[in-house]
PDB file of all heavy atoms in Angstrom:
ATOM      1  N   GLU A  21    -211.152  36.010 -78.875  1.00 60.00           N
ATOM      2  CA  GLU A  21    -211.685  35.980 -80.247  1.00 60.00           C
ATOM      3  C   GLU A  21    -213.174  35.656 -80.230  1.00 60.00           C
ATOM      4  O   GLU A  21    -213.952  36.225 -80.994  1.00 60.00           O
ATOM      5  CB  GLU A  21    -210.928  34.949 -81.077  1.00 60.00           C
ATOM      6  CG  GLU A  21    -211.357  34.935 -82.523  1.00 60.00           C
ATOM      7  CD  GLU A  21    -210.541  33.975 -83.373  1.00 60.00           C
ATOM      8  OE1 GLU A  21    -209.368  33.736 -83.058  1.00 60.00           O
ATOM      9  OE2 GLU A  21    -211.103  33.478 -84.345  1.00 60.00           O
ATOM     10  N   SER A  22    -213.608  34.760 -79.338  1.00 55.00           N
ATOM     11  CA  SER A  22    -215.027  34.420 -79.208  1.00 55.00           C
ATOM     12  C   SER A  22    -215.841  35.639 -78.777  1.00 55.00           C
ATOM     13  O   SER A  22    -216.935  35.877 -79.302  1.00 55.00           O
ATOM     14  CB  SER A  22    -215.198  33.279 -78.203  1.00 55.00           C
ATOM     15  OG  SER A  22    -216.555  32.999 -78.012  1.00 55.00           O
ATOM     16  N   ASP A  23    -215.338  36.400 -77.824  1.00 56.00           N
ATOM     17  CA  ASP A  23    -216.034  37.617 -77.383  1.00 56.00           C
ATOM     18  C   ASP A  23    -216.151  38.619 -78.526  1.00 56.00           C
ATOM     19  O   ASP A  23    -217.193  39.242 -78.707  1.00 56.00           O
ATOM     20  CB  ASP A  23    -215.296  38.280 -76.212  1.00 56.00           C
ATOM     21  CG  ASP A  23    -215.341  37.462 -74.942  1.00 56.00           C
ATOM     22  OD1 ASP A  23    -216.285  36.659 -74.781  1.00 56.00           O
ATOM     23  OD2 ASP A  23    -214.429  37.648 -74.105  1.00 56.00           O
ATOM     24  N   LEU A  24    -215.089  38.761 -79.285  1.00 51.00           N
ATOM     25  CA  LEU A  24    -215.088  39.686 -80.402  1.00 51.00           C
ATOM     26  C   LEU A  24    -216.094  39.248 -81.462  1.00 51.00           C
ATOM     27  O   LEU A  24    -216.829  40.067 -82.006  1.00 51.00           O
ATOM     28  CB  LEU A  24    -213.686  39.785 -80.999  1.00 51.00           C
ATOM     29  CG  LEU A  24    -213.455  40.852 -82.045  1.00 51.00           C
ATOM     30  CD1 LEU A  24    -213.800  42.232 -81.502  1.00 51.00           C
ATOM     31  CD2 LEU A  24    -212.012  40.813 -82.524  1.00 51.00           C
ATOM     32  N   ARG A  25    -216.158  37.950 -81.744  1.00 56.00           N
ATOM     33  CA  ARG A  25    -217.109  37.419 -82.713  1.00 56.00           C
ATOM     34  C   ARG A  25    -218.540  37.692 -82.266  1.00 56.00           C
ATOM     35  O   ARG A  25    -219.405  38.068 -83.057  1.00 56.00           O
ATOM     36  CB  ARG A  25    -216.874  35.928 -82.895  1.00 56.00           C
ATOM     37  CG  ARG A  25    -217.171  35.444 -84.291  1.00 56.00           C
ATOM     38  CD  ARG A  25    -216.815  33.981 -84.523  1.00 56.00           C
ATOM     39  NE  ARG A  25    -215.434  33.674 -84.196  1.00 56.00           N
ATOM     40  CZ  ARG A  25    -215.052  32.758 -83.294  1.00 56.00           C
ATOM     41  NH1 ARG A  25    -215.933  32.036 -82.663  1.00 56.00           N
ATOM     42  NH2 ARG A  25    -213.783  32.550 -83.056  1.00 56.00           N
ATOM     43  N   LYS A  26    -218.827  37.516 -80.966  1.00 54.00           N
ATOM     44  CA  LYS A  26    -220.162  37.791 -80.434  1.00 54.00           C
ATOM     45  C   LYS A  26    -220.506  39.272 -80.554  1.00 54.00           C
ATOM     46  O   LYS A  26    -221.642  39.635 -80.837  1.00 54.00           O
ATOM     47  CB  LYS A  26    -220.261  37.350 -78.974  1.00 54.00           C
ATOM     48  CG  LYS A  26    -220.339  35.863 -78.799  1.00 54.00           C
ATOM     49  CD  LYS A  26    -220.401  35.495 -77.333  1.00 54.00           C
ATOM     50  CE  LYS A  26    -220.356  33.998 -77.133  1.00 54.00           C
ATOM     51  NZ  LYS A  26    -220.306  33.639 -75.718  1.00 54.00           N
ATOM     52  N   LEU A  27    -219.536  40.125 -80.340  1.00 52.00           N
ATOM     53  CA  LEU A  27    -219.758  41.555 -80.409  1.00 52.00           C
ATOM     54  C   LEU A  27    -219.995  42.031 -81.842  1.00 52.00           C
ATOM     55  O   LEU A  27    -220.918  42.795 -82.110  1.00 52.00           O
ATOM     56  CB  LEU A  27    -218.559  42.301 -79.808  1.00 52.00           C
ATOM     57  CG  LEU A  27    -218.602  43.815 -79.848  1.00 52.00           C
ATOM     58  CD1 LEU A  27    -219.749  44.327 -78.977  1.00 52.00           C
ATOM     59  CD2 LEU A  27    -217.284  44.389 -79.369  1.00 52.00           C
ATOM     60  N   LEU A  28    -219.179  41.538 -82.760  1.00 53.00           N
ATOM     61  CA  LEU A  28    -219.247  42.011 -84.138  1.00 53.00           C
ATOM     62  C   LEU A  28    -220.215  41.229 -85.012  1.00 53.00           C
ATOM     63  O   LEU A  28    -220.645  41.713 -86.047  1.00 53.00           O
ATOM     64  CB  LEU A  28    -217.855  41.960 -84.771  1.00 53.00           C
ATOM     65  CG  LEU A  28    -216.810  42.855 -84.133  1.00 53.00           C
ATOM     66  CD1 LEU A  28    -215.461  42.660 -84.805  1.00 53.00           C
ATOM     67  CD2 LEU A  28    -217.250  44.308 -84.186  1.00 53.00           C
ATOM     68  N   GLY A  29    -220.562  40.014 -84.601  1.00 54.00           N
ATOM     69  CA  GLY A  29    -221.440  39.196 -85.418  1.00 54.00           C
ATOM     70  C   GLY A  29    -220.709  38.641 -86.626  1.00 54.00           C
ATOM     71  O   GLY A  29    -219.498  38.627 -86.689  1.00 54.00           O
ATOM     72  N   SER A  30    -221.476  38.195 -87.585  1.00 53.00           N
ATOM     73  CA  SER A  30    -220.918  37.584 -88.780  1.00 53.00           C
ATOM     74  C   SER A  30    -221.449  38.306 -90.009  1.00 53.00           C
ATOM     75  O   SER A  30    -222.570  38.792 -90.026  1.00 53.00           O
ATOM     76  CB  SER A  30    -221.333  36.102 -88.821  1.00 53.00           C
ATOM     77  OG  SER A  30    -221.018  35.544 -90.062  1.00 53.00           O
ATOM     78  N   ALA A  31    -220.657  38.320 -91.054  1.00 58.00           N
ATOM     79  CA  ALA A  31    -221.080  38.945 -92.307  1.00 58.00           C
ATOM     80  C   ALA A  31    -221.857  37.982 -93.194  1.00 58.00           C
ATOM     81  O   ALA A  31    -222.359  38.370 -94.233  1.00 58.00           O
ATOM     82  CB  ALA A  31    -219.853  39.459 -93.053  1.00 58.00           C
ATOM     83  N   ASP A  32    -221.978  36.718 -92.785  1.00 63.00           N
ATOM     84  CA  ASP A  32    -222.717  35.731 -93.572  1.00 63.00           C
ATOM     85  C   ASP A  32    -224.203  36.073 -93.591  1.00 63.00           C
ATOM     86  O   ASP A  32    -224.682  36.829 -92.742  1.00 63.00           O
ATOM     87  CB  ASP A  32    -222.516  34.328 -92.980  1.00 63.00           C
ATOM     88  CG  ASP A  32    -221.075  33.854 -93.090  1.00 63.00           C
ATOM     89  OD1 ASP A  32    -220.375  34.300 -94.023  1.00 63.00           O
ATOM     90  OD2 ASP A  32    -220.659  33.053 -92.245  1.00 63.00           O
ATOM     91  N   PRO A  33    -224.962  35.538 -94.567  1.00 71.00           N
ATOM     92  CA  PRO A  33    -226.403  35.820 -94.637  1.00 71.00           C
ATOM     93  C   PRO A  33    -227.105  35.489 -93.318  1.00 71.00           C
ATOM     94  O   PRO A  33    -226.865  34.451 -92.717  1.00 71.00           O
ATOM     95  CB  PRO A  33    -226.892  34.914 -95.759  1.00 71.00           C
ATOM     96  CG  PRO A  33    -225.682  34.639 -96.591  1.00 71.00           C
ATOM     97  CD  PRO A  33    -224.517  34.655 -95.628  1.00 71.00           C
ATOM     98  N   ASP A  34    -227.957  36.394 -92.872  1.00 80.00           N
ATOM     99  CA  ASP A  34    -228.650  36.269 -91.588  1.00 80.00           C
ATOM    100  C   ASP A  34    -230.155  36.407 -91.837  1.00 80.00           C
ATOM    101  O   ASP A  34    -230.597  37.415 -92.379  1.00 80.00           O
ATOM    102  CB  ASP A  34    -228.151  37.377 -90.655  1.00 80.00           C
ATOM    103  CG  ASP A  34    -228.709  37.293 -89.251  1.00 80.00           C
ATOM    104  OD1 ASP A  34    -229.848  36.812 -89.078  1.00 80.00           O
ATOM    105  OD2 ASP A  34    -228.013  37.728 -88.326  1.00 80.00           O
ATOM    106  N   PRO A  35    -230.958  35.395 -91.456  1.00 79.00           N
ATOM    107  CA  PRO A  35    -232.397  35.444 -91.725  1.00 79.00           C
ATOM    108  C   PRO A  35    -233.167  36.390 -90.817  1.00 79.00           C
ATOM    109  O   PRO A  35    -234.370  36.573 -91.000  1.00 79.00           O
ATOM    110  CB  PRO A  35    -232.834  33.997 -91.496  1.00 79.00           C
ATOM    111  CG  PRO A  35    -231.899  33.498 -90.448  1.00 79.00           C
ATOM    112  CD  PRO A  35    -230.570  34.168 -90.778  1.00 79.00           C
ATOM    113  N   GLY A  36    -232.505  36.977 -89.836  1.00 88.00           N
ATOM    114  CA  GLY A  36    -233.195  37.845 -88.891  1.00 88.00           C
ATOM    115  C   GLY A  36    -233.921  37.037 -87.830  1.00 88.00           C
ATOM    116  O   GLY A  36    -233.987  35.809 -87.889  1.00 88.00           O
ATOM    117  N   CYS A  37    -234.488  37.732 -86.864  1.00 92.00           N
ATOM    118  CA  CYS A  37    -235.145  37.067 -85.733  1.00 92.00           C
ATOM    119  C   CYS A  37    -236.353  36.244 -86.172  1.00 92.00           C
ATOM    120  O   CYS A  37    -236.550  35.136 -85.683  1.00 92.00           O
ATOM    121  CB  CYS A  37    -235.554  38.092 -84.685  1.00 92.00           C
ATOM    122  SG  CYS A  37    -234.157  38.914 -83.889  1.00 92.00           S
ATOM    123  N   ASP A  38    -237.159  36.781 -87.086  1.00 91.00           N
ATOM    124  CA  ASP A  38    -238.340  36.038 -87.529  1.00 91.00           C
ATOM    125  C   ASP A  38    -237.946  34.747 -88.236  1.00 91.00           C
ATOM    126  O   ASP A  38    -238.508  33.686 -87.953  1.00 91.00           O
ATOM    127  CB  ASP A  38    -239.206  36.898 -88.447  1.00 91.00           C
ATOM    128  CG  ASP A  38    -239.903  38.026 -87.714  1.00 91.00           C
ATOM    129  OD1 ASP A  38    -240.061  37.933 -86.472  1.00 91.00           O
ATOM    130  OD2 ASP A  38    -240.286  39.011 -88.380  1.00 91.00           O
ATOM    131  N   GLY A  39    -237.008  34.831 -89.143  1.00 89.00           N
ATOM    132  CA  GLY A  39    -236.558  33.644 -89.864  1.00 89.00           C
ATOM    133  C   GLY A  39    -235.913  32.625 -88.947  1.00 89.00           C
ATOM    134  O   GLY A  39    -236.148  31.422 -89.075  1.00 89.00           O
ATOM    135  N   ALA A  40    -235.120  33.096 -88.009  1.00 89.00           N
ATOM    136  CA  ALA A  40    -234.472  32.184 -87.064  1.00 89.00           C
ATOM    137  C   ALA A  40    -235.501  31.553 -86.136  1.00 89.00           C
ATOM    138  O   ALA A  40    -235.400  30.367 -85.800  1.00 89.00           O
ATOM    139  CB  ALA A  40    -233.412  32.920 -86.255  1.00 89.00           C
ATOM    140  N   GLY A  41    -236.500  32.332 -85.737  1.00 89.00           N
ATOM    141  CA  GLY A  41    -237.538  31.802 -84.851  1.00 89.00           C
ATOM    142  C   GLY A  41    -238.281  30.635 -85.466  1.00 89.00           C
ATOM    143  O   GLY A  41    -238.696  29.711 -84.759  1.00 89.00           O
ATOM    144  N   GLU A  42    -238.430  30.648 -86.781  1.00 91.00           N
ATOM    145  CA  GLU A  42    -239.112  29.556 -87.466  1.00 91.00           C
ATOM    146  C   GLU A  42    -238.302  28.263 -87.441  1.00 91.00           C
ATOM    147  O   GLU A  42    -238.851  27.179 -87.600  1.00 91.00           O
ATOM    148  CB  GLU A  42    -239.412  29.958 -88.911  1.00 91.00           C
ATOM    149  CG  GLU A  42    -240.427  31.079 -89.018  1.00 91.00           C
ATOM    150  CD  GLU A  42    -240.635  31.551 -90.437  1.00 91.00           C
ATOM    151  OE1 GLU A  42    -240.131  30.901 -91.379  1.00 91.00           O
ATOM    152  OE2 GLU A  42    -241.298  32.581 -90.612  1.00 91.00           O
ATOM    153  N   LEU A  43    -236.988  28.372 -87.243  1.00 93.00           N
ATOM    154  CA  LEU A  43    -236.107  27.207 -87.256  1.00 93.00           C
ATOM    155  C   LEU A  43    -235.643  26.780 -85.864  1.00 93.00           C
ATOM    156  O   LEU A  43    -235.035  25.723 -85.708  1.00 93.00           O
ATOM    157  CB  LEU A  43    -234.879  27.501 -88.119  1.00 93.00           C
ATOM    158  CG  LEU A  43    -235.161  27.787 -89.587  1.00 93.00           C
ATOM    159  CD1 LEU A  43    -233.914  28.294 -90.278  1.00 93.00           C
ATOM    160  CD2 LEU A  43    -235.691  26.545 -90.273  1.00 93.00           C
ATOM    161  N   MET A  44    -235.930  27.595 -84.861  1.00 95.00           N
ATOM    162  CA  MET A  44    -235.400  27.353 -83.524  1.00 95.00           C
ATOM    163  C   MET A  44    -235.831  26.006 -82.945  1.00 95.00           C
ATOM    164  O   MET A  44    -235.006  25.278 -82.384  1.00 95.00           O
ATOM    165  CB  MET A  44    -235.813  28.482 -82.582  1.00 95.00           C
ATOM    166  CG  MET A  44    -235.080  28.461 -81.252  1.00 95.00           C
ATOM    167  SD  MET A  44    -235.525  29.857 -80.197  1.00 95.00           S
ATOM    168  CE  MET A  44    -234.981  31.240 -81.164  1.00 95.00           C
ATOM    169  N   ASP A  45    -237.108  25.653 -83.064  1.00 94.00           N
ATOM    170  CA  ASP A  45    -237.586  24.381 -82.520  1.00 94.00           C
ATOM    171  C   ASP A  45    -236.855  23.205 -83.158  1.00 94.00           C
ATOM    172  O   ASP A  45    -236.395  22.293 -82.460  1.00 94.00           O
ATOM    173  CB  ASP A  45    -239.091  24.215 -82.742  1.00 94.00           C
ATOM    174  CG  ASP A  45    -239.918  25.155 -81.900  1.00 94.00           C
ATOM    175  OD1 ASP A  45    -239.377  25.729 -80.929  1.00 94.00           O
ATOM    176  OD2 ASP A  45    -241.117  25.302 -82.192  1.00 94.00           O
ATOM    177  N   GLU A  46    -236.758  23.229 -84.487  1.00 94.00           N
ATOM    178  CA  GLU A  46    -236.084  22.142 -85.194  1.00 94.00           C
ATOM    179  C   GLU A  46    -234.627  22.035 -84.755  1.00 94.00           C
ATOM    180  O   GLU A  46    -234.120  20.940 -84.477  1.00 94.00           O
ATOM    181  CB  GLU A  46    -236.170  22.361 -86.698  1.00 94.00           C
ATOM    182  CG  GLU A  46    -235.449  21.290 -87.494  1.00 94.00           C
ATOM    183  CD  GLU A  46    -235.433  21.548 -88.982  1.00 94.00           C
ATOM    184  OE1 GLU A  46    -235.938  22.606 -89.430  1.00 94.00           O
ATOM    185  OE2 GLU A  46    -234.890  20.686 -89.700  1.00 94.00           O
ATOM    186  N   TYR A  47    -233.943  23.167 -84.694  1.00 96.00           N
ATOM    187  CA  TYR A  47    -232.543  23.181 -84.275  1.00 96.00           C
ATOM    188  C   TYR A  47    -232.388  22.577 -82.881  1.00 96.00           C
ATOM    189  O   TYR A  47    -231.551  21.698 -82.661  1.00 96.00           O
ATOM    190  CB  TYR A  47    -232.000  24.611 -84.298  1.00 96.00           C
ATOM    191  CG  TYR A  47    -230.657  24.752 -83.640  1.00 96.00           C
ATOM    192  CD1 TYR A  47    -229.490  24.442 -84.315  1.00 96.00           C
ATOM    193  CD2 TYR A  47    -230.557  25.181 -82.312  1.00 96.00           C
ATOM    194  CE1 TYR A  47    -228.249  24.560 -83.702  1.00 96.00           C
ATOM    195  CE2 TYR A  47    -229.327  25.300 -81.692  1.00 96.00           C
ATOM    196  CZ  TYR A  47    -228.182  24.989 -82.392  1.00 96.00           C
ATOM    197  OH  TYR A  47    -226.955  25.089 -81.775  1.00 96.00           O
ATOM    198  N   CYS A  48    -233.197  23.035 -81.943  1.00 95.00           N
ATOM    199  CA  CYS A  48    -233.086  22.565 -80.559  1.00 95.00           C
ATOM    200  C   CYS A  48    -233.387  21.079 -80.437  1.00 95.00           C
ATOM    201  O   CYS A  48    -232.722  20.365 -79.676  1.00 95.00           O
ATOM    202  CB  CYS A  48    -234.000  23.381 -79.649  1.00 95.00           C
ATOM    203  SG  CYS A  48    -233.408  25.068 -79.395  1.00 95.00           S
ATOM    204  N   GLU A  49    -234.377  20.603 -81.174  1.00 94.00           N
ATOM    205  CA  GLU A  49    -234.694  19.175 -81.120  1.00 94.00           C
ATOM    206  C   GLU A  49    -233.538  18.336 -81.655  1.00 94.00           C
ATOM    207  O   GLU A  49    -233.201  17.296 -81.082  1.00 94.00           O
ATOM    208  CB  GLU A  49    -235.976  18.890 -81.890  1.00 94.00           C
ATOM    209  CG  GLU A  49    -237.201  19.423 -81.174  1.00 94.00           C
ATOM    210  CD  GLU A  49    -238.472  19.325 -81.991  1.00 94.00           C
ATOM    211  OE1 GLU A  49    -238.440  18.774 -83.113  1.00 94.00           O
ATOM    212  OE2 GLU A  49    -239.510  19.812 -81.511  1.00 94.00           O
ATOM    213  N   LEU A  50    -232.928  18.769 -82.739  1.00 95.00           N
ATOM    214  CA  LEU A  50    -231.777  18.043 -83.294  1.00 95.00           C
ATOM    215  C   LEU A  50    -230.607  18.041 -82.317  1.00 95.00           C
ATOM    216  O   LEU A  50    -229.978  17.003 -82.088  1.00 95.00           O
ATOM    217  CB  LEU A  50    -231.349  18.665 -84.627  1.00 95.00           C
ATOM    218  CG  LEU A  50    -232.297  18.458 -85.805  1.00 95.00           C
ATOM    219  CD1 LEU A  50    -231.883  19.338 -86.979  1.00 95.00           C
ATOM    220  CD2 LEU A  50    -232.340  16.999 -86.218  1.00 95.00           C
ATOM    221  N   VAL A  51    -230.305  19.195 -81.733  1.00 94.00           N
ATOM    222  CA  VAL A  51    -229.196  19.287 -80.779  1.00 94.00           C
ATOM    223  C   VAL A  51    -229.472  18.430 -79.543  1.00 94.00           C
ATOM    224  O   VAL A  51    -228.597  17.702 -79.083  1.00 94.00           O
ATOM    225  CB  VAL A  51    -228.934  20.759 -80.390  1.00 94.00           C
ATOM    226  CG1 VAL A  51    -227.966  20.852 -79.222  1.00 94.00           C
ATOM    227  CG2 VAL A  51    -228.392  21.535 -81.584  1.00 94.00           C
ATOM    228  N   ALA A  52    -230.686  18.488 -79.030  1.00 92.00           N
ATOM    229  CA  ALA A  52    -231.037  17.714 -77.829  1.00 92.00           C
ATOM    230  C   ALA A  52    -230.904  16.214 -78.080  1.00 92.00           C
ATOM    231  O   ALA A  52    -230.549  15.461 -77.176  1.00 92.00           O
ATOM    232  CB  ALA A  52    -232.447  18.066 -77.372  1.00 92.00           C
ATOM    233  N   ARG A  53    -231.189  15.789 -79.303  1.00 91.00           N
ATOM    234  CA  ARG A  53    -231.075  14.354 -79.646  1.00 91.00           C
ATOM    235  C   ARG A  53    -229.657  13.987 -80.070  1.00 91.00           C
ATOM    236  O   ARG A  53    -229.368  12.808 -80.303  1.00 91.00           O
ATOM    237  CB  ARG A  53    -232.049  14.006 -80.771  1.00 91.00           C
ATOM    238  CG  ARG A  53    -233.499  14.036 -80.347  1.00 91.00           C
ATOM    239  CD  ARG A  53    -234.413  13.408 -81.392  1.00 91.00           C
ATOM    240  NE  ARG A  53    -234.276  13.976 -82.715  1.00 91.00           N
ATOM    241  CZ  ARG A  53    -235.160  14.793 -83.298  1.00 91.00           C
ATOM    242  NH1 ARG A  53    -236.250  15.151 -82.648  1.00 91.00           N
ATOM    243  NH2 ARG A  53    -234.955  15.226 -84.518  1.00 91.00           N
ATOM    244  N   GLY A  54    -228.782  14.982 -80.209  1.00 93.00           N
ATOM    245  CA  GLY A  54    -227.400  14.719 -80.617  1.00 93.00           C
ATOM    246  C   GLY A  54    -227.260  14.393 -82.092  1.00 93.00           C
ATOM    247  O   GLY A  54    -226.289  13.764 -82.498  1.00 93.00           O
ATOM    248  N   GLU A  55    -228.223  14.833 -82.895  1.00 95.00           N
ATOM    249  CA  GLU A  55    -228.184  14.558 -84.331  1.00 95.00           C
ATOM    250  C   GLU A  55    -227.397  15.646 -85.059  1.00 95.00           C
ATOM    251  O   GLU A  55    -227.321  16.782 -84.607  1.00 95.00           O
ATOM    252  CB  GLU A  55    -229.608  14.478 -84.882  1.00 95.00           C
ATOM    253  CG  GLU A  55    -230.389  13.309 -84.305  1.00 95.00           C
ATOM    254  CD  GLU A  55    -231.797  13.195 -84.877  1.00 95.00           C
ATOM    255  OE1 GLU A  55    -232.052  13.750 -85.967  1.00 95.00           O
ATOM    256  OE2 GLU A  55    -232.632  12.554 -84.224  1.00 95.00           O
ATOM    257  N   PRO A  56    -226.836  15.297 -86.209  1.00 96.00           N
ATOM    258  CA  PRO A  56    -226.097  16.307 -86.984  1.00 96.00           C
ATOM    259  C   PRO A  56    -227.043  17.367 -87.532  1.00 96.00           C
ATOM    260  O   PRO A  56    -228.222  17.105 -87.782  1.00 96.00           O
ATOM    261  CB  PRO A  56    -225.458  15.496 -88.115  1.00 96.00           C
ATOM    262  CG  PRO A  56    -226.227  14.226 -88.188  1.00 96.00           C
ATOM    263  CD  PRO A  56    -226.818  13.987 -86.834  1.00 96.00           C
ATOM    264  N   LEU A  57    -226.511  18.553 -87.703  1.00 94.00           N
ATOM    265  CA  LEU A  57    -227.307  19.662 -88.217  1.00 94.00           C
ATOM    266  C   LEU A  57    -227.211  19.705 -89.736  1.00 94.00           C
ATOM    267  O   LEU A  57    -226.103  19.653 -90.283  1.00 94.00           O
ATOM    268  CB  LEU A  57    -226.814  20.984 -87.635  1.00 94.00           C
ATOM    269  CG  LEU A  57    -226.882  21.110 -86.123  1.00 94.00           C
ATOM    270  CD1 LEU A  57    -226.285  22.435 -85.686  1.00 94.00           C
ATOM    271  CD2 LEU A  57    -228.313  20.989 -85.643  1.00 94.00           C
ATOM    272  N   PRO A  58    -228.356  19.801 -90.422  1.00 94.00           N
ATOM    273  CA  PRO A  58    -228.314  19.896 -91.881  1.00 94.00           C
ATOM    274  C   PRO A  58    -227.770  21.253 -92.321  1.00 94.00           C
ATOM    275  O   PRO A  58    -227.873  22.256 -91.598  1.00 94.00           O
ATOM    276  CB  PRO A  58    -229.782  19.727 -92.291  1.00 94.00           C
ATOM    277  CG  PRO A  58    -230.583  20.069 -91.086  1.00 94.00           C
ATOM    278  CD  PRO A  58    -229.717  19.776 -89.897  1.00 94.00           C
ATOM    279  N   ALA A  59    -227.228  21.290 -93.509  1.00 91.00           N
ATOM    280  CA  ALA A  59    -226.631  22.515 -94.059  1.00 91.00           C
ATOM    281  C   ALA A  59    -227.644  23.654 -94.135  1.00 91.00           C
ATOM    282  O   ALA A  59    -227.273  24.818 -94.023  1.00 91.00           O
ATOM    283  CB  ALA A  59    -226.048  22.236 -95.436  1.00 91.00           C
ATOM    284  N   ARG A  60    -228.932  23.337 -94.265  1.00 89.00           N
ATOM    285  CA  ARG A  60    -229.946  24.396 -94.390  1.00 89.00           C
ATOM    286  C   ARG A  60    -230.096  25.215 -93.110  1.00 89.00           C
ATOM    287  O   ARG A  60    -230.740  26.256 -93.113  1.00 89.00           O
ATOM    288  CB  ARG A  60    -231.278  23.832 -94.838  1.00 89.00           C
ATOM    289  CG  ARG A  60    -231.913  22.875 -93.886  1.00 89.00           C
ATOM    290  CD  ARG A  60    -233.198  22.289 -94.487  1.00 89.00           C
ATOM    291  NE  ARG A  60    -233.582  21.082 -93.818  1.00 89.00           N
ATOM    292  CZ  ARG A  60    -234.085  21.034 -92.601  1.00 89.00           C
ATOM    293  NH1 ARG A  60    -234.271  22.133 -91.936  1.00 89.00           N
ATOM    294  NH2 ARG A  60    -234.397  19.886 -92.045  1.00 89.00           N
ATOM    295  N   LEU A  61    -229.502  24.771 -92.009  1.00 92.00           N
ATOM    296  CA  LEU A  61    -229.544  25.539 -90.762  1.00 92.00           C
ATOM    297  C   LEU A  61    -228.360  26.494 -90.626  1.00 92.00           C
ATOM    298  O   LEU A  61    -228.207  27.149 -89.597  1.00 92.00           O
ATOM    299  CB  LEU A  61    -229.608  24.601 -89.549  1.00 92.00           C
ATOM    300  CG  LEU A  61    -230.921  23.840 -89.373  1.00 92.00           C
ATOM    301  CD1 LEU A  61    -230.840  22.914 -88.165  1.00 92.00           C
ATOM    302  CD2 LEU A  61    -232.097  24.782 -89.223  1.00 92.00           C
ATOM    303  N   ALA A  62    -227.540  26.615 -91.664  1.00 90.00           N
ATOM    304  CA  ALA A  62    -226.365  27.490 -91.598  1.00 90.00           C
ATOM    305  C   ALA A  62    -226.758  28.941 -91.326  1.00 90.00           C
ATOM    306  O   ALA A  62    -226.119  29.620 -90.516  1.00 90.00           O
ATOM    307  CB  ALA A  62    -225.555  27.389 -92.885  1.00 90.00           C
ATOM    308  N   ALA A  63    -227.804  29.438 -91.971  1.00 89.00           N
ATOM    309  CA  ALA A  63    -228.229  30.823 -91.753  1.00 89.00           C
ATOM    310  C   ALA A  63    -228.735  31.005 -90.320  1.00 89.00           C
ATOM    311  O   ALA A  63    -228.528  32.055 -89.709  1.00 89.00           O
ATOM    312  CB  ALA A  63    -229.304  31.220 -92.758  1.00 89.00           C
ATOM    313  N   PHE A  64    -229.391  29.980 -89.780  1.00 91.00           N
ATOM    314  CA  PHE A  64    -229.845  30.035 -88.388  1.00 91.00           C
ATOM    315  C   PHE A  64    -228.632  30.191 -87.464  1.00 91.00           C
ATOM    316  O   PHE A  64    -228.646  31.011 -86.545  1.00 91.00           O
ATOM    317  CB  PHE A  64    -230.629  28.771 -88.023  1.00 91.00           C
ATOM    318  CG  PHE A  64    -230.958  28.662 -86.569  1.00 91.00           C
ATOM    319  CD1 PHE A  64    -232.073  29.306 -86.056  1.00 91.00           C
ATOM    320  CD2 PHE A  64    -230.154  27.943 -85.704  1.00 91.00           C
ATOM    321  CE1 PHE A  64    -232.378  29.224 -84.699  1.00 91.00           C
ATOM    322  CE2 PHE A  64    -230.453  27.855 -84.356  1.00 91.00           C
ATOM    323  CZ  PHE A  64    -231.560  28.495 -83.844  1.00 91.00           C
TER     324      PHE A  64
END
């Protein structure tokens, strides 16, 4: 099921590569520190 999800993607709103790139640093810093992810990162 995980492979299928990766292949097909998700139908949820997607900000595209540019939009995701703007959030990547913040996301990685939060994950590296073990902090919870805010809801605003759902599109990322």
